[in-house]
Amino acid sequence: LRPVMVVCIVIRSIDAFRTFDIVWTISGGGPARATEVFSIYAYVESFQFLNLGRGSAAAVVGAIIIVLFAMVLYRILNRFVEVSR
């Protein structure tokens, strides 16, 4: 059961970073950017302020953070998984 749980935890952790659609639909970033998440920041910088360089840099930094977080989480959880070979 542990390998399945590791996969589920990694997928749900990565999915936690993808909250653009829910926040944008409900509040649009909120009053005075109160509920703005990282993906909304990249969207607003790119398409509302037309600052494409800053928006794309924010998206790349976000992708790097997600990849690093997934790698660290995978390595930590991999120590607890004992798969018979």
Side-chain angles (χ1 to χ4, degrees), residues 4-16:
V4 175
M5 289 181 64
V6 168
V7 170
C8 290
I9 289 171
V10 169
I11 289 174
R12 289 300 301 157
S13 299
I14 293 171
D15 191 45

Side-chain angles (χ1 to χ4, degrees), residues 29-72:
R33 295 181 154 184
T35 60
E36 187 175 72
V37 292
F38 196 76
S39 56
I40 290 181
Y41 171 76
Y43 174 80
V44 168
E45 284 294 324
S46 294
F47 300 114
Q48 287 186 352
F49 297 147
L50 294 176
N51 194 352
L52 298 177
R54 181 175 283 188
S56 63
V60 168
V61 168
I64 291 171
I65 290 171
I66 290 171
V67 167
L68 290 176
F69 181 74
M71 287 175 41
V72 168

Side-chain angles (χ1 to χ4, degrees), residues 21-35:
D21 53 349
I22 296 169
V23 176
W24 187 257
T25 303
I26 292 174
S27 66
R33 295 181 154 184
T35 60

